[in-house]
Amino acid sequence: MPSYKLSYFNLRGFAEVSRLIFAAAGEKYEDVRYERDQWPAHKDEMPLGQMPVLEVDGVKLPQSAAIARFLAKQFHLAGKDNFEQAQVDAVVDTIYDLLKAFIPSRREQDEAKKEELTKKFFGEELPKHLQNLETLGKLYGNGGHFFVGNQLTWADLLFQNFAETFVGMNADCLNNFPWLQKNRAEVEKQPRIAEYLKNRPKTEI
Amino acid sequence: MSTYKLYYFNVRGRGEVARLIFAAADQKYEDIRYEREEWVSHKSEMPLGQMPVLEYNGVKLPQSAAINRFLANQFHLAGKDNFDQAKVDAVVDTINDMISKYRPIRMEQDEAKQKELTKTFLADELPKHLQNLEGLGKLYGSGGSFFVGNNLTWADLYFYDIAQHILELDENIFNSYPWLKENRQQVEKQPKIAEYLKNRPKTSH
């Protein structure tokens, strides 16, 4: 049994999908959370000076998507064969495309410009990517509610995490996307996920 | 017998890594290249209205990273076990971090501005990404010249391809990064790769 240690900030952010994978799988790990002021002392310990980092039996792995995919494969939440795993990866990449569209509005310092970018994101960018995600769910989901092959995979967990953030900022943003709403509801109903969501630290992002 | 069709533009761009993987694996596939005018009539055939798309046994898969990882897994160029595959993914994501800073510069229309941005990229951004990549190669490369575990993987092919764009900015760049220079030389010495590089269509990017 390998030992797992996940290091990140005290946020959901890019690490939460991995925490959701551990929770869905019922697997133990050390959930290290650094506050902003603690982080500088640990930066040099990390391969790329960034987090999240997963340590597996003492070997460090950076890059949040590589970490999540590894854990998903370890715990059979990645898709049942090569091609299903590829379909899961395609959904995941489409969710990350959505995040890339979101980040500029978060990084903008000027308040007026930030509001402009945020409005454009929720009005134009987000719907386009959500439409793409529904397309993939209907293409690969075998008629069910999960993105790929009628089973929970980390694509569903990744979507749940960022859907929660977006709905927190704009309550109506999923209203035109019933398939995605149903997908999110199915994920949050899974007993281990429901338990985890109830008890985890509450953070804004 | 599985069938593979790759749909992309008649450029290297985001399609070339898949072509390199097929070449390294000596695997037959249909290499469909649409000129810009042709693409318009095929856009709606693709799941997300974008390319590259891989059609595997008649089912379409979008997203270049998902395509590349799938092909690498099919042809044993992805890493020998879950954890090696995760290290390969981490290298790939780090290459992506580097190239995502460069792509906006390529899109800049104003020539003077593009020159300025390129100068800043070369001086401020690129070195840290190349150092990160050398760091990962030394951490995961088992003392050899390939990024992970002493075997050619798609991380090496991806770096080879992306590096070609970087070399167009500064043909001497890798003189300061001997590990990366050796890695590229090892890739282009592979007989099937050497053959492919000699015979492939020459395109602008």
Side-chain angles (χ1 to χ4, degrees):
Chain A
M1 267 292 295
S3 72
Y4 301 105
K5 184 164 114 172
L6 181 69
S7 299
Y8 192 54
F9 298 103
N10 186 18
L11 303 169
R12 290 180 287 119
F14 288 107
E16 193 64 10
V17 62
S18 290
R19 296 186 185 121
L20 284 163
I21 292 167
F22 279 121
E27 290 282 341
K28 294 209 176 324
Y29 69 110
E30 203 184 329
D31 183 20
V32 176
R33 293 169 180 249
Y34 291 129
E35 298 299 338
R36 290 274 167 193
D37 52 2
Q38 292 177 304
W39 164 236
H42 294 279
K43 196 171 151 78
D44 286 341
E45 297 166 5
M46 308 304 175
L48 307 180
Q50 296 173 324
M51 295 193 292
V53 164
L54 181 74
E55 201 174 308
V56 184
D57 287 342
V59 182
K60 288 187 170 76
L61 181 75
Q63 298 288 8
S64 59
I67 292 168
R69 184 177 300 102
F70 167 70
L71 293 171
K73 280 154 75 174
Q74 290 289 92
F75 309 136
H76 310 295
L77 287 165
K80 70 181 199 307
D81 57 33
N82 261 357
F83 198 48
E84 270 201 4
Q85 289 176 15
Q87 292 166 4
V88 171
D89 284 347
V91 175
V92 163
D93 287 351
T94 306
I95 296 167
Y96 283 125
D97 283 347
L98 170 54
L99 278 177
K100 279 192 206 106
F102 178 55
I103 282 165
S105 65
R106 292 293 303 183
R107 293 229 165 109
E108 179 58 57
Q109 305 280 29
D110 179 295
E111 277 302 324
K113 215 168 171 222
K114 191 181 172 102
E115 212 181 305
E116 180 71 38
L117 288 172
T118 304
K119 212 167 138 211
K120 182 158 187 255
F121 172 74
F122 281 103
E124 295 168 29
E125 287 291 330
L126 182 62
K128 175 177 87 184
H129 288 98
L130 293 179
Q131 190 57 60
N132 282 343
L133 286 170
E134 284 214 341
T135 298
L136 295 183
K138 289 169 184 171
L139 182 60
Y140 300 140
N142 289 4
H145 300 300
F146 297 115
F147 276 109
V148 178
N150 246 328
Q151 333 190 76
L152 181 76
T153 67
W154 69 290
D156 304 293
L157 299 176
L158 185 68
F159 179 70
Q160 189 282 332
N161 181 56
F162 290 107
E164 183 169 332
T165 298
F166 294 135
V167 170
M169 293 175 69
N170 182 321
D172 297 328
C173 67
L174 289 184
N175 286 359
N176 294 332
F177 300 96
W179 192 94
L180 293 174
Q181 288 180 312
K182 190 78 176 99
N183 167 269
R184 187 185 166 198
E186 281 299 315
V187 170
E188 294 177 354
K189 266 182 11 194
Q190 305 286 300
R192 288 187 185 136
I193 302 289
E195 184 68 22
Y196 173 72
L197 293 176
K198 203 171 66 171
N199 296 319
R200 69 176 173 185
K202 303 282 174 274
T203 59
E204 190 206 339
I205 56 163
Chain B
M1 266 295 293
S2 295
T3 60
Y4 299 92
K5 273 189 199 178
L6 181 70
Y7 298 88
Y8 193 52
F9 297 104
N10 186 19
V11 293
R12 287 173 279 122
R14 291 181 192 267
E16 192 64 7
V17 177
R19 297 182 185 127
L20 284 164
I21 293 169
F22 280 122
D26 203 11
Q27 170 66 45
K28 290 208 179 327
Y29 70 110
E30 212 179 319
D31 183 18
I32 297 164
R33 294 170 180 247
Y34 290 139
E35 300 298 339
R36 290 275 162 190
E37 327 79 67
E38 270 184 280
W39 163 236
V40 176
S41 62
H42 292 284
K43 193 172 152 80
S44 59
E45 294 165 11
M46 308 304 173
L48 306 182
Q50 297 173 325
M51 296 193 293
V53 164
L54 179 75
E55 196 177 303
Y56 173 66
N57 293 341
V59 182
K60 287 188 167 73
L61 180 76
Q63 297 288 11
S64 60
I67 291 168
N68 296 337
R69 185 177 300 103
F70 169 67
L71 294 174
N73 274 308
Q74 290 289 94
F75 312 133
H76 311 295
L77 287 165
K80 70 181 198 309
D81 56 32
N82 259 0
F83 200 45
D84 267 14
Q85 288 169 18
K87 294 170 185 170
V88 170
D89 286 346
V91 173
V92 165
D93 286 352
T94 305
I95 297 167
N96 277 334
D97 286 347
M98 174 175 77
I99 206 67
S100 70
K101 291 282 186 275
Y102 174 56
R103 285 207 173 98
I105 297 173
R106 271 202 61 103
M107 312 276 275
E108 176 58 57
Q109 304 282 30
D110 180 305
E111 250 190 73
K113 198 160 185 231
Q114 191 185 60
K115 239 176 143 172
E116 190 58 43
L117 290 171
T118 301
K119 212 166 138 217
T120 310
F121 172 75
L122 287 172
D124 300 343
E125 269 298 322
L126 187 60
K128 85 175 172 231
H129 294 288
L130 294 179
Q131 276 155 29
N132 279 343
L133 286 168
E134 284 215 337
L136 292 182
K138 289 169 185 170
L139 182 61
Y140 298 144
S142 303
S145 307
F146 297 117
F147 275 109
V148 177
N150 245 329
N151 289 313
L152 179 77
T153 66
W154 71 287
D156 304 294
L157 299 177
Y158 189 28
F159 180 69
Y160 186 83
D161 183 59
I162 292 297
Q164 195 165 344
H165 301 289
I166 305 292
L167 284 165
E168 285 167 11
L169 300 180
D170 175 358
E171 60 182 6
N172 296 313
I173 186 90
F174 295 117
N175 290 344
S176 311
Y177 301 93
W179 192 95
L180 294 175
K181 190 171 184 177
E182 180 61 24
N183 169 268
R184 287 195 89 239
Q185 285 172 352
Q186 286 301 324
V187 169
E188 60 194 3
K189 267 177 22 183
Q190 305 287 300
K192 294 178 188 142
I193 303 289
E195 183 70 22
Y196 174 72
L197 292 175
K198 202 173 65 169
N199 295 319
R200 67 176 172 180
K202 303 286 175 274
T203 56
S204 60
H205 62 278

